[in-house]
Structures are given as structure tokens and as C-alpha cells.
Amino acid sequence: MNKQKNTLLVISPHPDDLEIAMSGTVAKAVTEGREVISIVLTDGRRSQRSFACSDDEMASIRQQEVKESANILGIQQLHCLALTDLYSSENQQILLESLYKLIINYQPQEIYIPHPTLDKHKSHQIAAQLSLEVINKAITNKTLPHPNVWAYEVWGLFSNWDLTVDISDFVVLKRAAINCHKSQVTDIAYADGVLGLNRWRGVFSDPHRISSNAYLEVFIKLETK
């Protein structure tokens, strides 16, 4: 087992969740010399699309897209579990076993996941709940010192938060990382939507601030055992 180090680990239900939710935070961490690990749970084959494409073809496309975005962001380690979904008991068991091994190997100081209740996407809720199960098991078994576990925003906005990260210097990089996912941004303007949110957070996060040019990503701290 590796000694716990200055590692940030992100768990994503789908290949583009990290990019949408927190690629500014990831890019900032990389420039600070931190090790960033990305674990993508599904292959994204079930994503909606307006163009002709089989599920297998979509899975292949999305795997290539997430590799390209990881390279842009400087992510050192990318692990794609390539599960077809998070609903079957068989896939959930694979997730639990694989994620446990990865977490105790990397010994992250910080782990980022979707919010288990505030995120409105069912797959995100399942991913978060299973991730917390794994993290708590590792803590209970004393194979992982207590990490900070943070929830990120995707399909459900936070009314309050515990951590803000100024990503103003990484907005261009975040847009580029999101736009690597061409199969997704063809139909949905993810970059415009989330960067608009990040800008709103920067302007309205503090009512007593005279002015702000910041873009912020925000996170909620999740309790563990």
C-alpha cells in the first residue's frame, strides 16, 4: 500500500462529468504539482444523441474523447472501468471491487464525487452512494486514512457550499477539455452552460464584495465514517 500523498482523485459516472463539474480545479491542481487520478465508471454508451450511432460505437467514441480531455488537463492517471451501466447488481459489484483496489492503491488526500442526493441524475446518485460505500469500507478497514470527500455540481445546483476554487486562470482550458467531448457538445452547450454558472458563482458568491472577475467551482463536504 502506498503512503498517502498529495493526490486528488475524481470519480465520474460518465466520461465528461469531471470536465463539466471541476476541470478548472483539476487543471489548477496539476499546475500546483499535485497528482490527479481520474476514474470513469461507465463507457457512456447510453448517452442521448441526434446522430446515427450504435451504442458500441458511442462507447468507443467516448473513450477516445475522455483520453483527449485528460491529456489536455494534464491528468496523470486515467482509469476507465467501462461499465455499460450502474444499475445491474453485477456491474455494481465490479464497481465496488475495482474502486476499492484503486483507492487503497492511490491513497488520495481528496476524493471528489457527485452529490448522492442533490444531483438529479439517477446514475450520478448511484455512483456517489457506491463510492461512499467503498470509501467508508476502506476507512473502517484502516486501509485508507480519512480523506476529504467533496461533492461536485453537475445535474443539480448547490444552494450553499463548503469550498470554492477560483478557476479564473483556467477557463480557456476548461472549455477546451469539455469541447473534447464532441459527441456530447454537438447537441448540448455544456461549456457555455457551466462556465456561465462558474461566472455567476464568482459574481454572486459574496454579497459584500464590491466587484469580482472570478470564475468559481464550488463543492460540498461529505461526511465519512
Side-chain angles (χ1 to χ4, degrees), residues 12 14-27 61-62 64-75 152-155 167 170-199 215-217:
S12 304
H14 306 105
D16 58 359
D17 290 321
L18 177 153
E19 289 82 348
I20 294 168
M22 56 173 295
S23 54
T25 297
V26 164
I61 290 169
R62 299 206 68 185
Q64 184 58 41
E65 289 171 346
V66 77
K67 291 176 183 177
E68 291 175 4
S69 63
N71 286 335
I72 283 178
L73 293 171
I75 292 172
Y152 54 70
E153 280 183 300
V154 186
W155 294 105
I167 64 161
F170 304 96
V171 168
V172 172
L173 197 59
K174 178 167 184 170
R175 183 180 290 277
I178 293 172
N179 285 339
C180 282
H181 297 272
K182 296 181 180 64
S183 67
Q184 305 308 297
V185 300
T186 296
D187 299 314
I188 305 176
Y190 283 128
D192 288 343
V194 75
L195 288 171
L197 172 65
N198 299 151
R199 185 73 182 102
Y215 286 73
L216 300 180
E217 291 173 342

